[in-house]
Amino acid sequence: MKMPVWFKPWFDRLSSMSLAIVLLVLLALASVIGTILKQNQVQADYLTQFGSLWYNVFLSLGLFDMYHAGWFIGLLGFLMLSLVVCLWRHTPRMIKDMRKRKVIIADKSLQRFHHLKHWKLNKAELTQTIETVRSCLSGWEQKTAEDGGKTYIRADKGRRNKWGYILVHGAILIILVGGWIGSQYGFRGTMTIVEGSTDNTISFVKGTGTGHLKMPFDIRCDDFFIDFYPTGMPKAFRSTLSIIDHGKVVVDHKKIIVNEPLYYKGVRIYQASFGDGGSDIQLKLFHLGTGKIETVKTKVYETWRDPKTGVSLEITNFRPFNIENMANPGEPKEFKDLGPAVEFILRGPGLKPVKVKTFMRPFVMKGQDRGNLMLVSLTGEDSDYEPFSLGLDFSQPTDWKLYRNFVDILKKQKKDNSKTANFAAFKSAMSKVFGNKRPKNFQQIGGRVIQGMSNLSQVPWPFIPVLEDYDQVYYTGLELAQDPGMNTVWVGSAALVIGLCIMFYMPHRKLWLVLEKKGNNVKISLGGMTTRNKLDFEQEFHELLTKIEQGFDSSSSEGSAT
Amino acid sequence: MTAMTATHFSFETINRGLPAFARFCTYLGAIAGITAYAMYGPSGYGDEGLLYFLTPSSFAWIGIGALAGLASGLTTGMTKPSVTEAKVALNLVSWLDGALMMILLAAFWSALEPSQSLITYTDQSNLISGRVIMTMNIVFLSSALLYITYLFAPASIVGNLATATAWIGVYSGGSALLLRWYESYLLSTEIGHAPVSNLYEVFILLFCITTVIYLSLERRYQAKAMGAFVMALVSAGVFFGIWLSARGHADIKPLVPALQSYWMKIHVPMNFVGYGSFAVACGAGMAYLVRDYLEQKGGNARLLAIFPSLDQLDQLAYKAVAIGFPAFTLATILGAAWASEAWGGYWSWDPKETWALIVLLTYGAYLHVRVSHGWKGRSLAWWTVSGFLVTIFCFVGVNMYLSGLHSYGRL
């Protein structure tokens, strides 16, 4: 095939190694940018981070979705082109070189070899010497020829080393092609399904927005299960899925876990994440002003609003287990489950919005009931949660009763603030609630109520929300993917590894032996060369020399090597 | 055995010929036995993990396999002596010897473990592996000091001591990891997992692999002066490991669901073969630069005499890259295979993945300039040093500064 004249310099440039190196370095630098600049974030985040000027500059450069930007794809395309041209140019010559092994070597070229050794054998027969040498070279591919009274032996090891080069470069090409097929004809996205419901649409990141794709089948999440370690870390989570294709259940109650996806019609379904699927939440609101107890029913992700006060609770999450390390830093860890808790953002007129986590059970330490606990975050960040003790145990009706009575009696005798008056008020509240029959743990109850007196007065809200009941439902986060190019990538990967091993560990080593009969003597020259792994070849060459010399010694006791 | 052979007995003779070959066959048999037990054993390999292999019936299978291997090795070796010269067996047998020694050492440590009732998840300070790791730290640091001393006082005893301490470090580190594997099961069967799941554990793995790669190069090419540089790098890592353990990262923690896969045992160690060899290449590069500097200054002939020649150092750096590059490529591919089973795709442009690619591109470019442009010497030495900086960022920097899917090793 002939190429047009104008094309030749471009062809040379494309296949040049300098271009390859420049491309590799450019790709590396571009990849660095892509890891430092967080990819595929929400537009608003970028705007606040960089300001509108830099936002527009980065946006026009495609840096927010860099790995899919035109110039990055172009760079990869250029690499492919360079690989194709490089292979096109070098492969035929390499294959020819591997097939044809020149046996006859000019004396001048032999003298230039880095590894060279000469012998002169006295009173030796040529044929016998050849035999000896050849047997020493067992394991080497040998070829002999005669020319001008000289016998040439060429021996090769790792003759197919150049295949390593061809395989490696071809493999990278194959992997890139596989990646391209995947990006063109494949998809990958997430689907969240609440327990018991069905869905068929995945969503995926598209630049700084979101795209959607409908699957040709429906997935139903029959059940979701999660197991925790004693430390509160998730140990395993598992979805039970059914697939419904055209109204027919084709996969029935199949369990999937992380690392074990489900495969249906070329689509892989992975367990990726989980979360609350909108659990039913029942809260009890203990009104601080009136003393009334109100029951509120709501759901996670919903907002409940109190019509009277305008205070709203935006329920953000619910967790049945809340395992915390109760030990001080430096001490042995002590894990404790604080029980079910609901999280919400509390807003209201004149109130600073705060994030709150409120529990169902009181906080018990060393067997002692310390009353209910709330975690409050003023910033809305989970890391800024501060514990706030409410004092009262809201799961015990008597705590609240005693507290209210105490507050009422104190209000009535507001003039007298003395210790004795307070004590008398407490005593009368006690007898009002319990009558003559004081419970055994009345001291503890009293302690909690007195604690509650001081702590609850700091609460600016009209009521104290406490979790009363829940009906938990999870959603399962699935990842769905189809990649028709994946097998191509695996083929390429296998070729790449095999090619690298051939390239590095089977270097081509060449030996030339020139034998010449001169009178009674035989003159022998041995030259060796290799392209890679010179250190090992040096050792190998020396070992060979000793082997050959031993061979000479044993084959002719009269002959001597010089 | 006759008196004559007894007097000639040395380590050389058991590492050659029939003894080596028969031993190799015994190891192969034992490996076959354990594989067969995992696949066809009575209850089948399941949730018990490592404990499944620590039962009498498992030892019986291994023993039978080993005996069968030994018998077949002896018969083939005696009937056809040329087989015993096989390079593969001779090269691999010392590695397998080392592995066996490490296992035996770990078994010995495990006997010193406190009683089961005293072992708790919440306080792991009484576990023996912590003490073995402390020993490893001290031994590696003294090895580095000895190697540096050797540069200035090249007495053979200093050199031998340096090499010996490096080996002791490798064996204590390796056996400590094996012991930690066992200890994780002592804490609880559900916590038990291979000791390659967090930054602290893989750091120890990295020290051992780096040192082993260096030591095998040292043995083959007599490049002892390089040890000062490689072991200095290892020592820097040791200090980082101590810092990690002071920060409470040394505890055995249960595995998150994403890591509960056999891929972890394959992908992670393979990566560290790559990281380790790049560290050794960096050591060779540094040695090159120092020698080059000394030569230009025309200084210290005694110091120069200890260093391998510039050409040799250049070759050694290449040699290390030649180990690391295919290993790291394979590790990245294995990671991609795992990702395609766990994350929904073989490639996600996750920061760790991308940095692995950057490392490969860096060393790929190194190989290209070396082979095609015939670059040699100083510029390539700099390349191996800066390439290792890229590698360090890929290993630790990504965990510190960038978040992504690989956030198991977060600091």
Side-chain angles (χ1 to χ4, degrees), chain A residues 27-28 30-35 66-67 72, chain B residues 332 347-361 394 398 402 406:
Chain A
L27 271 173
S31 305
V32 173
I33 299 173
T35 59
M66 198 201 78
Y67 302 114
F72 191 78
Chain B
T332 308
W347 196 260
S348 313
W349 292 108
D350 164 67
K352 197 83 167 185
E353 280 176 354
T354 313
W355 273 93
L357 178 70
I358 294 166
V359 168
L360 284 177
L361 289 170
C394 175
V398 172
L402 309 170
H406 269 94

PDB file of all heavy atoms in Angstrom, chain A residues 27-28 30-35 66-67 72, chain B residues 332 347-361 394 398 402 406:
ATOM      1  N   LEU A  27      -2.014  13.109  29.495  1.00  0.00           N
ATOM      2  CA  LEU A  27      -3.115  12.366  30.113  1.00  0.00           C
ATOM      3  C   LEU A  27      -2.955  12.328  31.622  1.00  0.00           C
ATOM      4  O   LEU A  27      -3.926  12.499  32.356  1.00  0.00           O
ATOM      5  CB  LEU A  27      -3.152  10.932  29.574  1.00  0.00           C
ATOM      6  CG  LEU A  27      -3.989  10.698  28.323  1.00  0.00           C
ATOM      7  CD1 LEU A  27      -3.789   9.293  27.825  1.00  0.00           C
ATOM      8  CD2 LEU A  27      -5.463  10.954  28.619  1.00  0.00           C
ATOM      9  N   ALA A  28      -1.706  12.123  32.062  1.00  0.00           N
ATOM     10  CA  ALA A  28      -1.458  12.073  33.503  1.00  0.00           C
ATOM     11  C   ALA A  28      -1.805  13.409  34.138  1.00  0.00           C
ATOM     12  O   ALA A  28      -2.497  13.463  35.157  1.00  0.00           O
ATOM     13  CB  ALA A  28      -0.004  11.703  33.775  1.00  0.00           C
ATOM     14  N   ALA A  30      -3.817  15.786  33.006  1.00  0.00           N
ATOM     15  CA  ALA A  30      -5.260  16.019  32.953  1.00  0.00           C
ATOM     16  C   ALA A  30      -5.968  15.226  34.046  1.00  0.00           C
ATOM     17  O   ALA A  30      -6.861  15.735  34.724  1.00  0.00           O
ATOM     18  CB  ALA A  30      -5.797  15.630  31.588  1.00  0.00           C
ATOM     19  N   SER A  31      -5.524  13.987  34.250  1.00  0.00           N
ATOM     20  CA  SER A  31      -6.161  13.158  35.272  1.00  0.00           C
ATOM     21  C   SER A  31      -5.981  13.763  36.654  1.00  0.00           C
ATOM     22  O   SER A  31      -6.867  13.656  37.502  1.00  0.00           O
ATOM     23  CB  SER A  31      -5.569  11.752  35.255  1.00  0.00           C
ATOM     24  OG  SER A  31      -5.670  11.215  33.974  1.00  0.00           O
ATOM     25  N   VAL A  32      -4.826  14.401  36.868  1.00  0.00           N
ATOM     26  CA  VAL A  32      -4.603  15.044  38.171  1.00  0.00           C
ATOM     27  C   VAL A  32      -5.663  16.117  38.408  1.00  0.00           C
ATOM     28  O   VAL A  32      -6.279  16.176  39.473  1.00  0.00           O
ATOM     29  CB  VAL A  32      -3.187  15.665  38.231  1.00  0.00           C
ATOM     30  CG1 VAL A  32      -3.025  16.470  39.492  1.00  0.00           C
ATOM     31  CG2 VAL A  32      -2.141  14.573  38.171  1.00  0.00           C
ATOM     32  N   ILE A  33      -5.910  16.937  37.372  1.00  0.00           N
ATOM     33  CA  ILE A  33      -6.933  17.986  37.511  1.00  0.00           C
ATOM     34  C   ILE A  33      -8.263  17.358  37.903  1.00  0.00           C
ATOM     35  O   ILE A  33      -8.948  17.816  38.812  1.00  0.00           O
ATOM     36  CB  ILE A  33      -7.097  18.752  36.183  1.00  0.00           C
ATOM     37  CG1 ILE A  33      -5.791  19.422  35.800  1.00  0.00           C
ATOM     38  CG2 ILE A  33      -8.215  19.787  36.291  1.00  0.00           C
ATOM     39  CD1 ILE A  33      -5.821  20.061  34.436  1.00  0.00           C
ATOM     40  N   GLY A  34      -8.601  16.272  37.219  1.00  0.00           N
ATOM     41  CA  GLY A  34      -9.892  15.632  37.462  1.00  0.00           C
ATOM     42  C   GLY A  34     -10.051  15.092  38.872  1.00  0.00           C
ATOM     43  O   GLY A  34     -11.169  14.961  39.367  1.00  0.00           O
ATOM     44  N   THR A  35      -8.917  14.754  39.527  1.00  0.00           N
ATOM     45  CA  THR A  35      -9.061  14.241  40.895  1.00  0.00           C
ATOM     46  C   THR A  35      -9.068  15.377  41.910  1.00  0.00           C
ATOM     47  O   THR A  35      -9.651  15.238  42.975  1.00  0.00           O
ATOM     48  CB  THR A  35      -7.915  13.270  41.255  1.00  0.00           C
ATOM     49  OG1 THR A  35      -6.682  13.960  41.129  1.00  0.00           O
ATOM     50  CG2 THR A  35      -7.927  12.063  40.380  1.00  0.00           C
ATOM     51  N   MET A  66     -14.851  16.338  33.499  1.00  0.00           N
ATOM     52  CA  MET A  66     -13.694  16.356  32.650  1.00  0.00           C
ATOM     53  C   MET A  66     -13.485  15.071  31.855  1.00  0.00           C
ATOM     54  O   MET A  66     -13.084  15.097  30.707  1.00  0.00           O
ATOM     55  CB  MET A  66     -12.466  16.638  33.518  1.00  0.00           C
ATOM     56  CG  MET A  66     -11.282  17.094  32.765  1.00  0.00           C
ATOM     57  SD  MET A  66      -9.837  16.804  33.729  1.00  0.00           S
ATOM     58  CE  MET A  66      -9.634  15.059  33.483  1.00  0.00           C
ATOM     59  N   TYR A  67     -13.777  13.932  32.531  1.00  0.00           N
ATOM     60  CA  TYR A  67     -13.475  12.655  31.870  1.00  0.00           C
ATOM     61  C   TYR A  67     -14.402  12.387  30.692  1.00  0.00           C
ATOM     62  O   TYR A  67     -14.202  11.447  29.942  1.00  0.00           O
ATOM     63  CB  TYR A  67     -13.545  11.515  32.884  1.00  0.00           C
ATOM     64  CG  TYR A  67     -12.589  11.716  34.031  1.00  0.00           C
ATOM     65  CD1 TYR A  67     -13.047  11.929  35.322  1.00  0.00           C
ATOM     66  CD2 TYR A  67     -11.223  11.728  33.803  1.00  0.00           C
ATOM     67  CE1 TYR A  67     -12.167  12.129  36.366  1.00  0.00           C
ATOM     68  CE2 TYR A  67     -10.336  11.931  34.841  1.00  0.00           C
ATOM     69  CZ  TYR A  67     -10.816  12.133  36.121  1.00  0.00           C
ATOM     70  OH  TYR A  67      -9.939  12.337  37.150  1.00  0.00           O
ATOM     71  N   PHE A  72     -10.782  15.781  26.472  1.00  0.00           N
ATOM     72  CA  PHE A  72     -10.193  14.601  27.117  1.00  0.00           C
ATOM     73  C   PHE A  72     -10.416  13.360  26.256  1.00  0.00           C
ATOM     74  O   PHE A  72      -9.496  12.566  26.049  1.00  0.00           O
ATOM     75  CB  PHE A  72     -10.821  14.409  28.499  1.00  0.00           C
ATOM     76  CG  PHE A  72     -10.108  13.394  29.334  1.00  0.00           C
ATOM     77  CD1 PHE A  72      -8.917  13.711  29.972  1.00  0.00           C
ATOM     78  CD2 PHE A  72     -10.617  12.111  29.480  1.00  0.00           C
ATOM     79  CE1 PHE A  72      -8.255  12.769  30.732  1.00  0.00           C
ATOM     80  CE2 PHE A  72      -9.959  11.166  30.251  1.00  0.00           C
ATOM     81  CZ  PHE A  72      -8.773  11.505  30.879  1.00  0.00           C
TER      82      PHE A  72
ATOM     83  N   THR B 332      -4.100  -3.176  39.226  1.00  0.00           N
ATOM     84  CA  THR B 332      -5.138  -2.245  38.795  1.00  0.00           C
ATOM     85  C   THR B 332      -6.240  -2.984  38.047  1.00  0.00           C
ATOM     86  O   THR B 332      -7.432  -2.713  38.226  1.00  0.00           O
ATOM     87  CB  THR B 332      -4.520  -1.149  37.917  1.00  0.00           C
ATOM     88  OG1 THR B 332      -3.416  -0.585  38.622  1.00  0.00           O
ATOM     89  CG2 THR B 332      -5.508  -0.067  37.595  1.00  0.00           C
ATOM     90  N   TRP B 347     -14.596   0.793  35.894  1.00  0.00           N
ATOM     91  CA  TRP B 347     -13.828   2.036  36.019  1.00  0.00           C
ATOM     92  C   TRP B 347     -14.779   3.169  36.375  1.00  0.00           C
ATOM     93  O   TRP B 347     -15.783   3.367  35.706  1.00  0.00           O
ATOM     94  CB  TRP B 347     -13.092   2.341  34.707  1.00  0.00           C
ATOM     95  CG  TRP B 347     -12.020   3.342  34.888  1.00  0.00           C
ATOM     96  CD1 TRP B 347     -12.082   4.663  34.606  1.00  0.00           C
ATOM     97  CD2 TRP B 347     -10.704   3.102  35.418  1.00  0.00           C
ATOM     98  NE1 TRP B 347     -10.894   5.275  34.928  1.00  0.00           N
ATOM     99  CE2 TRP B 347     -10.027   4.339  35.427  1.00  0.00           C
ATOM    100  CE3 TRP B 347     -10.031   1.972  35.892  1.00  0.00           C
ATOM    101  CZ2 TRP B 347      -8.720   4.472  35.885  1.00  0.00           C
ATOM    102  CZ3 TRP B 347      -8.737   2.110  36.347  1.00  0.00           C
ATOM    103  CH2 TRP B 347      -8.085   3.338  36.334  1.00  0.00           C
ATOM    104  N   SER B 348     -14.495   3.900  37.430  1.00  0.00           N
ATOM    105  CA  SER B 348     -15.411   4.963  37.851  1.00  0.00           C
ATOM    106  C   SER B 348     -14.720   6.315  37.936  1.00  0.00           C
ATOM    107  O   SER B 348     -15.312   7.266  38.425  1.00  0.00           O
ATOM    108  CB  SER B 348     -16.008   4.633  39.219  1.00  0.00           C
ATOM    109  OG  SER B 348     -16.463   3.313  39.273  1.00  0.00           O
ATOM    110  N   TRP B 349     -13.475   6.425  37.515  1.00  0.00           N
ATOM    111  CA  TRP B 349     -12.682   7.651  37.669  1.00  0.00           C
ATOM    112  C   TRP B 349     -12.682   8.092  39.127  1.00  0.00           C
ATOM    113  O   TRP B 349     -12.691   9.273  39.438  1.00  0.00           O
ATOM    114  CB  TRP B 349     -13.186   8.785  36.758  1.00  0.00           C
ATOM    115  CG  TRP B 349     -12.956   8.522  35.319  1.00  0.00           C
ATOM    116  CD1 TRP B 349     -13.910   8.219  34.394  1.00  0.00           C
ATOM    117  CD2 TRP B 349     -11.706   8.533  34.604  1.00  0.00           C
ATOM    118  NE1 TRP B 349     -13.338   8.036  33.160  1.00  0.00           N
ATOM    119  CE2 TRP B 349     -11.990   8.225  33.253  1.00  0.00           C
ATOM    120  CE3 TRP B 349     -10.376   8.764  34.968  1.00  0.00           C
ATOM    121  CZ2 TRP B 349     -11.015   8.144  32.278  1.00  0.00           C
ATOM    122  CZ3 TRP B 349      -9.394   8.680  33.993  1.00  0.00           C
ATOM    123  CH2 TRP B 349      -9.718   8.377  32.669  1.00  0.00           C
ATOM    124  N   ASP B 350     -12.699   7.131  40.016  1.00  0.00           N
ATOM    125  CA  ASP B 350     -12.536   7.395  41.436  1.00  0.00           C
ATOM    126  C   ASP B 350     -11.105   7.910  41.649  1.00  0.00           C
ATOM    127  O   ASP B 350     -10.192   7.478  40.934  1.00  0.00           O
ATOM    128  CB  ASP B 350     -12.786   6.063  42.164  1.00  0.00           C
ATOM    129  CG  ASP B 350     -12.276   6.080  43.576  1.00  0.00           C
ATOM    130  OD1 ASP B 350     -12.842   6.829  44.365  1.00  0.00           O
ATOM    131  OD2 ASP B 350     -11.316   5.349  43.870  1.00  0.00           O
ATOM    132  N   PRO B 351     -10.878   8.833  42.586  1.00  0.00           N
ATOM    133  CA  PRO B 351      -9.528   9.395  42.729  1.00  0.00           C
ATOM    134  C   PRO B 351      -8.421   8.343  42.841  1.00  0.00           C
ATOM    135  O   PRO B 351      -7.355   8.485  42.244  1.00  0.00           O
ATOM    136  CB  PRO B 351      -9.628  10.213  44.006  1.00  0.00           C
ATOM    137  CG  PRO B 351     -11.033  10.628  44.068  1.00  0.00           C
ATOM    138  CD  PRO B 351     -11.834   9.507  43.465  1.00  0.00           C
ATOM    139  N   LYS B 352      -8.682   7.269  43.579  1.00  0.00           N
ATOM    140  CA  LYS B 352      -7.642   6.250  43.738  1.00  0.00           C
ATOM    141  C   LYS B 352      -7.361   5.563  42.405  1.00  0.00           C
ATOM    142  O   LYS B 352      -6.199   5.357  42.041  1.00  0.00           O
ATOM    143  CB  LYS B 352      -8.109   5.216  44.766  1.00  0.00           C
ATOM    144  CG  LYS B 352      -7.013   4.354  45.311  1.00  0.00           C
ATOM    145  CD  LYS B 352      -6.306   5.046  46.432  1.00  0.00           C
ATOM    146  CE  LYS B 352      -5.409   4.128  47.219  1.00  0.00           C
ATOM    147  NZ  LYS B 352      -4.848   4.858  48.356  1.00  0.00           N
ATOM    148  N   GLU B 353      -8.414   5.248  41.698  1.00  0.00           N
ATOM    149  CA  GLU B 353      -8.250   4.623  40.378  1.00  0.00           C
ATOM    150  C   GLU B 353      -7.470   5.546  39.453  1.00  0.00           C
ATOM    151  O   GLU B 353      -6.531   5.126  38.775  1.00  0.00           O
ATOM    152  CB  GLU B 353      -9.627   4.402  39.731  1.00  0.00           C
ATOM    153  CG  GLU B 353     -10.374   3.208  40.200  1.00  0.00           C
ATOM    154  CD  GLU B 353     -11.762   3.128  39.563  1.00  0.00           C
ATOM    155  OE1 GLU B 353     -12.176   4.056  38.848  1.00  0.00           O
ATOM    156  OE2 GLU B 353     -12.432   2.147  39.801  1.00  0.00           O
ATOM    157  N   THR B 354      -7.887   6.811  39.448  1.00  0.00           N
ATOM    158  CA  THR B 354      -7.255   7.754  38.544  1.00  0.00           C
ATOM    159  C   THR B 354      -5.783   7.929  38.888  1.00  0.00           C
ATOM    160  O   THR B 354      -4.931   7.967  38.001  1.00  0.00           O
ATOM    161  CB  THR B 354      -7.984   9.108  38.609  1.00  0.00           C
ATOM    162  OG1 THR B 354      -9.386   8.861  38.532  1.00  0.00           O
ATOM    163  CG2 THR B 354      -7.586   9.989  37.474  1.00  0.00           C
ATOM    164  N   TRP B 355      -5.477   7.975  40.184  1.00  0.00           N
ATOM    165  CA  TRP B 355      -4.072   8.107  40.565  1.00  0.00           C
ATOM    166  C   TRP B 355      -3.289   6.843  40.248  1.00  0.00           C
ATOM    167  O   TRP B 355      -2.098   6.927  39.916  1.00  0.00           O
ATOM    168  CB  TRP B 355      -3.934   8.499  42.033  1.00  0.00           C
ATOM    169  CG  TRP B 355      -4.000   9.989  42.151  1.00  0.00           C
ATOM    170  CD1 TRP B 355      -5.102  10.741  42.381  1.00  0.00           C
ATOM    171  CD2 TRP B 355      -2.909  10.904  41.954  1.00  0.00           C
ATOM    172  NE1 TRP B 355      -4.781  12.066  42.339  1.00  0.00           N
ATOM    173  CE2 TRP B 355      -3.455  12.214  42.093  1.00  0.00           C
ATOM    174  CE3 TRP B 355      -1.555  10.766  41.679  1.00  0.00           C
ATOM    175  CZ2 TRP B 355      -2.671  13.352  41.968  1.00  0.00           C
ATOM    176  CZ3 TRP B 355      -0.773  11.913  41.558  1.00  0.00           C
ATOM    177  CH2 TRP B 355      -1.335  13.179  41.701  1.00  0.00           C
ATOM    178  N   ALA B 356      -3.926   5.695  40.319  1.00  0.00           N
ATOM    179  CA  ALA B 356      -3.236   4.462  39.897  1.00  0.00           C
ATOM    180  C   ALA B 356      -2.890   4.575  38.419  1.00  0.00           C
ATOM    181  O   ALA B 356      -1.786   4.208  37.990  1.00  0.00           O
ATOM    182  CB  ALA B 356      -4.119   3.248  40.149  1.00  0.00           C
ATOM    183  N   LEU B 357      -3.820   5.123  37.647  1.00  0.00           N
ATOM    184  CA  LEU B 357      -3.558   5.321  36.221  1.00  0.00           C
ATOM    185  C   LEU B 357      -2.402   6.307  36.023  1.00  0.00           C
ATOM    186  O   LEU B 357      -1.531   6.092  35.179  1.00  0.00           O
ATOM    187  CB  LEU B 357      -4.828   5.846  35.534  1.00  0.00           C
ATOM    188  CG  LEU B 357      -4.692   6.151  34.055  1.00  0.00           C
ATOM    189  CD1 LEU B 357      -4.532   4.875  33.262  1.00  0.00           C
ATOM    190  CD2 LEU B 357      -5.893   6.930  33.538  1.00  0.00           C
ATOM    191  N   ILE B 358      -2.401   7.357  36.847  1.00  0.00           N
ATOM    192  CA  ILE B 358      -1.327   8.351  36.728  1.00  0.00           C
ATOM    193  C   ILE B 358       0.026   7.701  37.031  1.00  0.00           C
ATOM    194  O   ILE B 358       1.019   7.937  36.335  1.00  0.00           O
ATOM    195  CB  ILE B 358      -1.591   9.550  37.665  1.00  0.00           C
ATOM    196  CG1 ILE B 358      -2.843  10.300  37.211  1.00  0.00           C
ATOM    197  CG2 ILE B 358      -0.401  10.496  37.701  1.00  0.00           C
ATOM    198  CD1 ILE B 358      -3.396  11.276  38.218  1.00  0.00           C
ATOM    199  N   VAL B 359       0.055   6.844  38.056  1.00  0.00           N
ATOM    200  CA  VAL B 359       1.296   6.123  38.378  1.00  0.00           C
ATOM    201  C   VAL B 359       1.732   5.282  37.184  1.00  0.00           C
ATOM    202  O   VAL B 359       2.903   5.301  36.773  1.00  0.00           O
ATOM    203  CB  VAL B 359       1.090   5.234  39.622  1.00  0.00           C
ATOM    204  CG1 VAL B 359       2.251   4.277  39.797  1.00  0.00           C
ATOM    205  CG2 VAL B 359       0.921   6.081  40.865  1.00  0.00           C
ATOM    206  N   LEU B 360       0.775   4.571  36.587  1.00  0.00           N
ATOM    207  CA  LEU B 360       1.117   3.724  35.441  1.00  0.00           C
ATOM    208  C   LEU B 360       1.610   4.570  34.267  1.00  0.00           C
ATOM    209  O   LEU B 360       2.568   4.198  33.590  1.00  0.00           O
ATOM    210  CB  LEU B 360      -0.102   2.898  35.017  1.00  0.00           C
ATOM    211  CG  LEU B 360      -0.427   1.721  35.923  1.00  0.00           C
ATOM    212  CD1 LEU B 360      -1.685   1.029  35.456  1.00  0.00           C
ATOM    213  CD2 LEU B 360       0.725   0.723  35.937  1.00  0.00           C
ATOM    214  N   LEU B 361       0.955   5.711  34.047  1.00  0.00           N
ATOM    215  CA  LEU B 361       1.388   6.580  32.951  1.00  0.00           C
ATOM    216  C   LEU B 361       2.796   7.101  33.210  1.00  0.00           C
ATOM    217  O   LEU B 361       3.630   7.173  32.299  1.00  0.00           O
ATOM    218  CB  LEU B 361       0.411   7.747  32.794  1.00  0.00           C
ATOM    219  CG  LEU B 361      -0.974   7.417  32.233  1.00  0.00           C
ATOM    220  CD1 LEU B 361      -1.910   8.600  32.365  1.00  0.00           C
ATOM    221  CD2 LEU B 361      -0.886   6.987  30.788  1.00  0.00           C
ATOM    222  N   CYS B 394      -0.444   8.576  45.466  1.00  0.00           N
ATOM    223  CA  CYS B 394      -1.496   7.616  45.124  1.00  0.00           C
ATOM    224  C   CYS B 394      -1.837   6.768  46.333  1.00  0.00           C
ATOM    225  O   CYS B 394      -3.001   6.491  46.615  1.00  0.00           O
ATOM    226  CB  CYS B 394      -1.036   6.740  43.972  1.00  0.00           C
ATOM    227  SG  CYS B 394      -2.193   5.446  43.557  1.00  0.00           S
ATOM    228  N   VAL B 398      -3.977  10.393  48.415  1.00  0.00           N
ATOM    229  CA  VAL B 398      -5.380  10.316  48.000  1.00  0.00           C
ATOM    230  C   VAL B 398      -6.271  10.096  49.221  1.00  0.00           C
ATOM    231  O   VAL B 398      -7.318  10.724  49.361  1.00  0.00           O
ATOM    232  CB  VAL B 398      -5.566   9.183  46.963  1.00  0.00           C
ATOM    233  CG1 VAL B 398      -7.028   8.959  46.682  1.00  0.00           C
ATOM    234  CG2 VAL B 398      -4.846   9.533  45.678  1.00  0.00           C
ATOM    235  N   LEU B 402      -8.221  13.524  49.162  1.00  0.00           N
ATOM    236  CA  LEU B 402      -9.319  13.357  48.215  1.00  0.00           C
ATOM    237  C   LEU B 402     -10.268  12.291  48.731  1.00  0.00           C
ATOM    238  O   LEU B 402      -9.850  11.293  49.297  1.00  0.00           O
ATOM    239  CB  LEU B 402      -8.777  12.938  46.841  1.00  0.00           C
ATOM    240  CG  LEU B 402      -7.659  13.806  46.276  1.00  0.00           C
ATOM    241  CD1 LEU B 402      -7.064  13.157  45.050  1.00  0.00           C
ATOM    242  CD2 LEU B 402      -8.170  15.178  45.942  1.00  0.00           C
ATOM    243  N   HIS B 406     -12.787   4.726  47.452  1.00  0.00           N
ATOM    244  CA  HIS B 406     -11.758   3.996  48.191  1.00  0.00           C
ATOM    245  C   HIS B 406     -11.568   4.582  49.580  1.00  0.00           C
ATOM    246  O   HIS B 406     -10.450   4.774  50.020  1.00  0.00           O
ATOM    247  CB  HIS B 406     -10.415   4.104  47.476  1.00  0.00           C
ATOM    248  CG  HIS B 406     -10.164   3.011  46.499  1.00  0.00           C
ATOM    249  ND1 HIS B 406     -10.459   3.124  45.181  1.00  0.00           N
ATOM    250  CD2 HIS B 406      -9.628   1.778  46.640  1.00  0.00           C
ATOM    251  CE1 HIS B 406     -10.117   2.030  44.550  1.00  0.00           C
ATOM    252  NE2 HIS B 406      -9.610   1.191  45.406  1.00  0.00           N
TER     253      HIS B 406
END
